[in-house]
Amino acid sequence: MPKEPVETTEIFNKNLFNGKVLLCSGGGSGICRGMTEAMLRHGVKACIISRSKDKLEKAAEEMRQSTGGEVLAVPADVRNFEDVEKAVKATIEKYGRIDYLINGAAGNFLSPFENLSPNAFRTVIEIDLIGTFNLTKATFPYLKESKGSIINVTATLSHTGTIMQSHAGAAKSAVDAMTKHWAVEFGPHGIRVNGIAPGPIAETVGLQKLSRGMGRFESIPLGRAGAIKDIEQSTVFLFSEGANWITGVTLVVDGGHWMNNGQVQYPESILNPPKHRL
């Protein structure tokens, strides 16, 4: 079984998103930074938002250098609707339009229910769920104009039930529900709404923080942890014309991990089955 990500080249036209504009929350780090960089490599102009101004501006400059694309950095807290409105206004003033939205801002940590405070639970709900609502609400008029597309970044936590993750699981399952509702309601405006639910992604701080009690890579049918590149390619596809009749779907990109969540590892009899003569 493969243990390392397969090296891939760009499979889409590099000019695929020329003249288009992306707004991404959480785009300064981790998975959402990779998603943004992938879009930049294919011609998009981007605005990234998060709370930390210094980290955000540093990330934006690095992304400009690595992709040659245009990146606007706007500090904003997605829990605050006024912040979000200012970020959207700055994007429109700079680029004149918004075609694509990635709702990626998230908060998470491991906590048994007994130790989970009401404030901690509320904070995750506010960042993940209310933040997704706020940014979508603020960008909706411009997405109507461009007949744009949305990707909500979620998780597979609610698919099976996961210990110490009831707060994040509740928030992300609610976002999955909104993806379906919005797909139906926004469809007549020409707006597509989909989700991406990443599995364990090896290059992220999130996996390091959450790996304890969250299973082992041996339980992933494809035999390895994911890479940010895996999420990047899925992002470009869902925003591309190749997906122009796909909406209301949350694409699970996890190597089959959640479906095998109860397995610690594959038994030797499956990995190296005995040979039988007919």
Side-chain angles (χ1 to χ4, degrees):
M1 301 175 71
K3 298 302 180 184
E4 298 295 333
V6 177
E7 287 296 324
T8 57
T9 57
E10 297 294 355
I11 59 177
F12 298 93
N13 187 308
K14 68 178 182 179
N15 299 319
L16 187 61
F17 302 120
N18 278 7
K20 305 293 187 180
V21 177
L22 165 71
L23 177 58
C24 178
S25 65
S29 62
I31 290 171
C32 292
R33 173 170 171 167
M35 296 169 77
T36 302
E37 287 182 323
M39 294 293 288
L40 287 164
R41 291 196 302 270
H42 291 84
V44 87
K45 298 174 183 177
C47 175
I48 56 174
I49 66 174
S50 72
R51 285 175 290 173
S52 175
K53 179 180 179 180
D54 291 343
K55 290 181 180 179
L56 191 67
E57 290 180 346
K58 181 176 183 291
E61 180 56 31
E62 291 172 351
M63 293 162 78
R64 293 184 198 107
Q65 295 295 326
S66 65
T67 67
E70 293 189 41
V71 187
L72 175 66
V74 181
D77 186 339
V78 294
R79 294 173 294 182
N80 184 319
F81 190 69
E82 289 184 359
D83 270 15
V84 166
E85 284 187 308
K86 289 176 183 177
V88 170
K89 181 180 178 181
T91 306
I92 294 299
E93 288 178 349
K94 176 73 172 178
Y95 299 127
R97 60 187 295 144
I98 297 173
D99 301 273
Y100 308 116
L101 171 64
I102 295 175
N103 285 304
N108 199 3
F109 47 84
L110 294 177
S111 176
F113 177 78
E114 287 184 289
N115 298 337
L116 184 64
S117 71
N119 185 60
F121 183 85
R122 185 183 305 109
T123 297
V124 172
I125 295 295
E126 287 177 347
I127 296 172
D128 291 42
L129 178 58
I130 296 176
T132 295
F133 172 86
N134 283 344
L135 192 52
T136 304
K137 183 73 172 179
T139 57
F140 184 70
Y142 306 103
L143 292 170
K144 281 176 65 177
E145 289 180 11
S146 65
K147 298 188 184 303
S149 183
I150 300 169
I151 291 178
N152 296 323
V153 182
T154 62
T156 60
L157 297 170
S158 64
H159 288 29
T160 58
T162 307
I163 61 170
M164 297 189 285
Q165 287 283 269
S166 59
H167 46 300
K172 293 302 192 183
S173 61
V175 173
D176 285 343
M178 287 201 303
T179 295
K180 297 183 178 70
H181 299 319
W182 289 348
V184 173
E185 189 168 345
F186 298 178
H189 299 294
I191 302 171
R192 295 187 300 110
V193 187
N194 291 295
I196 290 180
I201 304 298
E203 304 130 291
T204 60
V205 174
L207 182 64
Q208 297 169 14
K209 290 169 55 180
L210 302 174
S211 59
R212 182 168 172 259
M214 296 286 285
R216 298 167 56 187
F217 297 158
E218 288 89 340
S219 68
I220 299 176
L222 290 184
R224 64 170 175 88
I228 291 176
K229 187 75 170 180
D230 297 316
I231 310 303
E232 292 178 5
Q233 300 286 19
S234 300
T235 302
V236 175
F237 167 67
L238 283 178
F239 279 144
S240 76
E241 286 299 308
N244 66 7
W245 215 47
I246 298 175
T247 194
V249 170
T250 296
L251 180 64
V252 176
V253 187
D254 75 341
H257 181 243
W258 82 264
M259 292 183 289
N260 192 44
N261 202 37
Q263 296 281 344
V264 174
Q265 60 184 350
Y266 282 89
E268 186 66 22
S269 60
I270 289 181
L271 297 177
N272 296 293
K275 294 181 180 179
H276 296 285
R277 293 181 177 178
L278 295 177

